[in-house]
Amino acid sequence: MKEKIISKASELFLRLGFKSVTMDDIAGEMCISKKTIYKYFCNKEVLIEESTSTVHRQVHEVIDTIVAKNYNAIHENFEIREMFRDMFKNSTDTSPLYQLKKHYPEIYQNVMTHEIDQCNHYFRDNILKGIREELYRPDINIDLYVKFYYTLIFHINETTVSEREAQKIELEALEYHTRAMATEKGIAELEKQLEKINHNHHQ
């Protein structure tokens, strides 16, 4: 039951926002009493904490699945971006991270500490892989580029109210990040990925 509540709550929080979803909404959607929810979660904050760490876990599981498919480094980043778009496509207009930061700053800080660790690890692996594949230049300062990239991405998510807008800007950031590192071969791969996106968006 606990798992079911978390899964329904996560879905509602992402779709309607952390602030606006009440315990009543969740109980109503699940056709259970509010008392049942309070049996497992003493308040909404606890439920938000559990839900955000569940979503966090799911996101990283999906990232791992994509990484395991062994695309080249640039293609991999674009696949991950697509996956995020699909995961959050039912989102409210308000970006979930933006809301979390605004209304539940402690929980936000907590999520971010984990997130930055995992992202660093993932961005670093991606850069090393791209260098091996000769898509990125061998002489870049990896630590610095990892830091640049997550600073950009988190800044966008924290300051952009609209989820749709955030995704548009993130695509620009991905292109910016890739161009900064790419060899000629990398630029060609980047153009190919961008072409694919433009094609899909116009269909």
Side-chain angles (χ1 to χ4, degrees):
M1 192 60 187
K2 187 178 179 186
E3 292 305 309
K4 277 194 182 128
I5 297 172
I6 291 179
S7 134
K8 177 50 82 179
S10 307
E11 179 200 319
L12 290 175
F13 287 141
L14 289 179
R15 203 171 72 218
L16 306 167
F18 292 100
K19 186 75 175 147
S20 45
V21 174
T22 64
M23 294 300 233
D24 281 313
D25 296 333
I26 297 165
E29 276 273 322
M30 295 183 71
C31 305
I32 57 177
S33 73
K34 217 160 59 168
K35 229 163 72 196
T36 309
I37 298 183
Y38 282 113
K39 202 168 86 187
Y40 299 97
F41 306 98
C42 55
N43 58 33
K44 185 176 160 185
E45 273 74 18
V46 176
L47 182 52
I48 290 181
E49 265 173 25
E50 296 256 359
S51 299
T52 47
S53 48
T54 301
V55 171
H56 170 87
R57 238 195 354 267
Q58 286 166 345
V59 163
H60 287 284
E61 277 163 15
V62 179
I63 289 180
D64 290 341
T65 338
I66 293 176
V67 171
K69 288 185 175 163
N70 245 320
Y71 296 117
N72 71 56
I74 294 176
H75 186 174
E76 177 177 279
N77 280 337
F78 277 85
E79 288 294 326
I80 287 171
R81 181 188 164 271
E82 280 297 296
M83 171 228 49
F84 272 114
R85 238 191 48 212
D86 293 342
M87 269 184 95
F88 297 113
K89 69 170 175 292
N90 305 333
S91 266
T92 27
D93 295 333
T94 319
S95 142
L97 274 184
Y98 177 86
Q99 282 209 3
L100 201 55
K101 184 180 191 194
K102 187 170 167 197
H103 301 296
Y104 302 97
E106 290 86 36
I107 301 178
Y108 176 80
Q109 278 321 120
N110 221 337
V111 171
M112 274 311 153
T113 323
H114 294 298
E115 207 43 82
I116 283 174
D117 270 2
Q118 289 206 268
C119 284
N120 274 348
H121 173 79
Y122 163 70
F123 292 159
R124 167 183 298 280
D125 285 352
N126 179 268
I127 293 177
L128 289 168
K129 178 179 176 170
I131 291 174
R132 283 197 307 274
E133 296 168 335
E134 297 179 356
L135 295 171
Y136 303 148
R137 289 175 290 113
D139 56 344
I140 57 186
N141 180 333
I142 297 176
D143 288 329
L144 213 50
Y145 273 70
V146 166
K147 203 168 171 174
F148 284 159
Y149 192 44
Y150 84 68
T151 305
L152 263 176
I153 293 295
F154 288 124
H155 179 74
I156 292 167
N157 279 293
E158 288 174 9
T159 52
T160 314
V161 185
S162 144
E163 176 63 27
R164 191 164 299 140
E165 193 56 29
Q167 290 185 357
K168 269 214 309 259
I169 305 173
E170 277 185 6
L171 176 59
E172 295 282 343
L174 174 55
E175 181 180 345
Y176 180 81
H177 173 66
T178 310
R179 281 190 193 282
M181 302 188 291
T183 56
E184 255 177 79
K185 187 174 153 191
I187 296 283
E189 178 61 30
L190 172 66
E191 300 292 353
K192 197 171 99 187
Q193 295 300 326
L194 290 170
E195 185 50 48
K196 211 161 63 182
I197 287 181
N198 287 331
H199 184 70
N200 292 343
H201 287 190
H202 294 315
Q203 276 180 346

